[in-house]
Amino acid sequence: MKKPTSAVLGGAAGSAVLSVALLLIEVETRSRIGLFEVAARFVGVPGNQTLGFVLFVAAGTFAWPLLFVALEAYLPLGPDPAIRGIGFSLPLWVAFVLLGRGDLSGAILIVFGVLTLFAHVAYGFTLGAVYGRLSGETDARRPMPAYPEE
């Protein structure tokens, strides 16, 4: 499958994982964090949670995966696309925490940071793993060298 299509499908899978993880965080914190509002602030439409969530999913499904393909050769953390996806997700997490934390402070800010880090790592891993599997970029599909290094 072509790389952009594989990335978009990987982004859709990653967005599903990220959305479920963020919903679990929202439930566990009894809506104290207000993740839909965070998503709205992150995409620049504070107060409009529905539009914010739609744009959040669209960015996770289309914009970030296509950027992932464009930057693929320059991403750190090895040849495995799943691991590179984790490296790709870390700057997204930093932006999400900085732009979306709103007026959170104290212990809830630490909980917000840690849980959203895990959610973004899961997004990046899923994006890269699905992309790698569909595009044939996984390590397992690469040809073995004739003479392995000793």
Side-chain angles (χ1 to χ4, degrees):
M1 188 175 287
K2 292 184 177 186
K3 288 183 174 186
T5 305
S6 299
V8 167
L9 293 174
S15 291
V17 169
L18 180 63
S19 297
V20 169
L22 292 178
L23 285 173
L24 291 174
I25 294 168
E26 186 74 0
V27 169
E28 289 297 319
T29 60
R30 297 181 184 174
S31 300
R32 181 129 187 258
I33 292 176
L35 286 170
F36 290 134
E37 180 58 29
V38 170
R41 282 193 304 267
F42 179 69
V43 295
V45 288
N48 191 340
Q49 296 178 16
T50 303
L51 180 59
F53 185 73
V54 169
L55 291 173
F56 175 80
V57 172
T61 303
F62 297 103
W64 302 139
L66 294 175
L67 183 62
F68 175 77
V69 170
L71 299 175
E72 181 184 7
Y74 308 105
L75 293 174
L77 302 178
D80 186 354
I83 304 301
R84 282 188 304 205
I86 292 173
F88 178 76
S89 71
L90 294 178
L92 297 176
W93 169 73
V94 170
F96 186 83
V97 168
L98 292 177
L99 297 174
R101 71 180 173 98
D103 57 353
L104 297 176
S105 62
I108 196 72
L109 180 60
I110 294 170
V111 170
F112 173 75
V114 170
L115 294 178
T116 57
L117 173 63
F118 286 123
H120 279 80
V121 166
Y123 169 78
F125 181 84
T126 305
L127 164 66
V130 171
Y131 165 76
R133 179 74 177 169
L134 295 177
S135 68
E137 292 291 320
T138 61
D139 279 346
R141 292 186 176 197
R142 291 189 176 142
M144 295 289 292
Y147 300 101
E149 297 177 20
E150 294 181 7

